[in-house]
Amino acid sequence: PSYVYLITDFSPEAFAEELRPLQLTACETPAIFEISQELQTTIGRDQATNLEYNFPPEGLTIKIEISVGELVLYGSFTIRSPSSLTADFKIRSTSEIDYFVSP
C-alpha cells in the first residue's frame, strides 16, 4: 500500500501526528528474506523484530545464535506478524537454536 499525506501545517506537533501512522506501518511490516540469507542483528530487551521468509515446500530449518538473554519466536504460515495467540509454532530458547519447521 502507498500512503500520501498532505501536510499544510509544519508545526512539530502536526508533523509528528502525521508521521505516527507511517512509523507504525513500517514497524509492523516484516522484511522479506531469501532462504539461506543470514541476518545479524541485536534485539534489545522487550523489543520485537518481524521477519518474513517465503516458506519452501520441503520445510525450513531455523538456526539462531543467542549470546545474551532469551528469545521467543512466533511463526505462522498464514499471518504476517504472528503473536502468542495467532502463531502456528513457538520457539523459546536461551541458547543456540537449530529448529526444523515441517511443511
Side-chain angles (χ1 to χ4, degrees):
S2 60
Y3 299 90
V4 177
Y5 292 92
L6 176 61
I7 300 175
T8 55
D9 178 4
F10 284 94
S11 71
E13 296 81 16
F15 184 73
E17 184 178 319
E18 297 298 329
L19 185 61
R20 183 74 180 141
L22 293 173
Q23 291 172 325
L24 289 174
T25 301
C27 292
E28 292 173 355
T29 304
I32 300 176
F33 293 91
E34 297 298 320
I35 301 300
S36 299
Q37 182 177 351
E38 184 176 311
L39 171 68
Q40 292 185 3
T41 188
T42 300
I43 301 172
R45 182 183 185 122
D46 297 327
Q47 289 183 331
T49 298
N50 294 320
L51 306 173
E52 181 176 324
Y53 286 89
N54 293 320
F55 196 81
E58 63 274 8
L60 175 69
T61 299
I62 299 171
K63 295 183 178 191
I64 300 175
E65 293 180 14
I66 302 168
S67 58
V68 175
E70 178 182 43
L71 171 82
V72 179
L73 183 144
Y74 298 105
S76 175
F77 301 106
T78 55
I79 296 173
R80 292 188 90 174
S81 298
S83 68
S84 59
L85 297 175
T86 59
D88 293 321
F89 62 92
K90 174 183 174 180
I91 302 169
R92 173 178 237 136
S93 182
T94 56
S95 61
E96 188 173 305
I97 295 172
D98 195 354
Y99 186 87
F100 179 71
V101 181
S102 62

